[in-house]
Amino acid sequence: MPVRMPIRKILSIAASTFVAASLAAAAPATATINADFEEQFRSLINQERAANGLGSLVTYFDLQDDARSHSGTQMATGVLHHNPNLGSVTTGWFSLGENVGVGPTVSSLHDAFMASPGHRANILGDYNYVGIGVEVETATKMWVTVVFMQGPADLLAPPAPAPKTTLPVGATSLGAVNTSTGIWYLRNEVGAVREFYYGNVGDSPMMGDWNCDGIATPGLYRRSDGFVYLRNSNTQGIADIRFFFGNPSDLPLAGDFNGDGCDTVSLYRPENGHVYIINELGQNEGGLGAADYHYALGNGANQVYSADFNSDGTDEVYVNNNSSRTVVVGDWDADGDETVGAYADASFTLYHAGDGGAGDMLTFGNPGFVPVSGDFGF
């Protein structure tokens, strides 16, 4: 089908002009945003810019939201037109431009843009951000809006949500351990903090319900002597349970792996990528004994963690290969379901099922601390 495209370029609010668009009388179908087509447009635009010695355009969320909305409006009305409120879709811009079009394919629309001097000037213009919205009406008809912007260099992501200071009553508590001093900082859901010493410098911390009372308390793996040290209260003191554990390079893994309501210490061996599940704690400074079962998982992961994501009372084992963030697991909104969180640079990002990946922010600890989570009993 033919391609139709008006153009407008705004150099400043005062100098903005609005160009009448051609009309399309076809009745709209149900709008469908197509992110793949949007990325194809951006890729073609950046290829043109690279061929002309220009920097790539990065997607800015404010522009993309507007572009998608405007493409939807064009399709719903059947009218190809510019956004009369383009200058107010975001703040902090130095210059803005907009291309709109309707046609059968990404490539046909892009070629038509490049063949038009005004549209080409936008594509090769002095911009650093772009937002693209594509609505697919039929297999042979799509509507596209491309918003260009020159703006400050610090607009690459949506604003971070304001950090929370509390979590809902009944949510999983969070803690952070300074392994260079052996000080544990445990924080309950309403922000009260308990601080105590436990362990030596360099010990690997964990939390678990070692005595089946429903309270998570400290555990340590000390690679210098190969022992695990478990304590049954969140206070300073000596270990209540200690036993020999695996190889020096093994990663300890706390969890309830048989659904009996008690946590035990299993291990992950990076050398062979195997998890070894042990459903009893070692006692009296003895060894753990043979694993109840083992299986391959991952390939030398940076972190292993346990979680009961299906709420059946039994933990499963997962791997995290992102060395910049440590995974924590808990019920952050007290709804009875466990979800993941991430800890980096003294900040927790706590994700919830169905939140679209935004997450809540909570600042606690210092960079380099090791995060822990659980019901701390206070």
Side-chain angles (χ1 to χ4, degrees):
M1 64 175 291
V3 174
R4 299 193 309 280
M5 318 158 302
I7 178 173
R8 180 184 61 184
K9 183 172 182 178
I10 300 178
L11 299 178
S12 70
I13 289 293
S16 62
T17 58
F18 302 91
V19 177
S22 56
L23 306 180
T30 301
T32 303
I33 293 172
N34 192 305
D36 288 339
F37 288 168
E38 292 169 352
E39 185 56 30
Q40 287 177 37
F41 272 111
R42 191 173 76 92
S43 177
L44 289 171
I45 288 169
N46 283 333
Q47 288 176 36
E48 302 287 359
R49 292 178 63 86
N52 285 271
L54 301 171
S56 295
L57 303 183
V58 295
T59 298
Y60 180 43
F61 74 105
D62 256 2
L63 306 181
Q64 184 173 62
D65 288 348
D66 171 73
R68 287 175 169 176
S69 176
H70 188 62
S71 289
T73 298
Q74 291 180 101
M75 190 189 122
T77 61
V79 177
L80 186 68
H81 66 285
H82 284 294
N83 181 357
N85 300 308
L86 181 63
S88 62
V89 300
T90 190
T91 59
W93 54 269
F94 308 143
S95 61
L96 291 170
E98 183 184 67
N99 290 350
V100 294
V102 57
T105 65
V106 173
S107 60
S108 65
L109 279 162
H110 176 75
D111 290 345
F113 284 148
M114 287 301 295
S116 164
H119 296 87
R120 177 186 175 90
N122 270 346
I123 290 173
L124 302 181
D126 185 17
Y127 300 116
N128 53 352
Y129 296 104
V130 71
I132 302 171
V134 174
E135 291 280 3
V136 177
E137 183 170 350
T138 68
T140 58
K141 186 177 183 182
M142 68 177 69
W143 300 77
V144 60
T145 303
V146 185
V147 182
F148 303 88
M149 183 178 84
Q150 170 70 295
D154 58 353
L155 299 177
L156 294 179
K164 282 182 171 288
T165 56
T166 63
L167 296 174
V169 174
T172 301
S173 298
L174 294 164
V177 184
N178 185 347
T179 57
S180 65
T181 63
I183 301 179
W184 294 59
Y185 303 88
L186 303 184
R187 180 191 190 282
N188 68 12
E189 69 271 30
V190 297
V193 177
R194 181 174 294 179
E195 174 184 335
F196 55 88
Y197 282 92
Y198 184 62
N200 294 339
V201 174
D203 289 347
S204 297
M206 55 188 144
M207 297 292 287
D209 179 9
W210 316 122
N211 62 357
C212 316
D213 66 351
I215 305 300
T217 52
L220 300 166
Y221 174 44
R222 185 167 298 157
R223 286 182 170 79
S224 61
D225 63 12
F227 271 73
V228 165
Y229 298 85
L230 306 179
R231 184 159 173 76
N232 287 324
S233 65
N234 286 313
T235 57
Q236 184 171 326
I238 63 172
D240 296 298
I241 304 169
R242 53 177 282 163
F243 51 87
F244 187 75
F245 172 86
N247 298 335
S249 60
D250 290 343
L251 303 180
L253 182 62
D256 179 3
F257 302 110
N258 62 358
D260 66 353
C262 305
D263 287 336
T264 57
V265 183
S266 295
L267 64 90
Y268 178 73
R269 186 158 291 161
E271 288 89 344
N272 62 6
H274 272 66
V275 173
Y276 295 83
I277 298 297
I278 303 102
N279 286 319
E280 292 184 2
L281 294 174
Q283 297 287 341
N284 301 320
E285 303 192 6
L288 276 174
D292 291 287
Y293 59 94
H294 66 92
Y295 56 90
L297 181 68
N299 184 19
N302 291 301
Q303 181 197 3
V304 288
Y305 61 94
S306 64
D308 180 17
F309 290 136
N310 62 0
S311 303
D312 68 352
T314 301
D315 288 327
E316 302 290 341
V317 183
Y318 301 87
V319 298
N320 169 34
N321 285 308
N322 186 343
S323 59
S324 66
R325 293 180 178 270
T326 302
V327 170
V328 289
V329 176
D331 177 7
W332 314 123
D333 51 8
D335 67 349
D337 297 323
E338 285 190 340
T339 52
V340 298
Y343 185 74
D345 297 326
S347 180
F348 289 93
T349 305
L350 308 176
Y351 300 99
H352 310 286
D355 71 355
D360 293 322
M361 301 293 295
L362 189 149
T363 300
F364 187 64
N366 285 315
F369 283 16
V370 177
V372 293
S373 62
D375 180 355
F376 301 149
F378 69 92

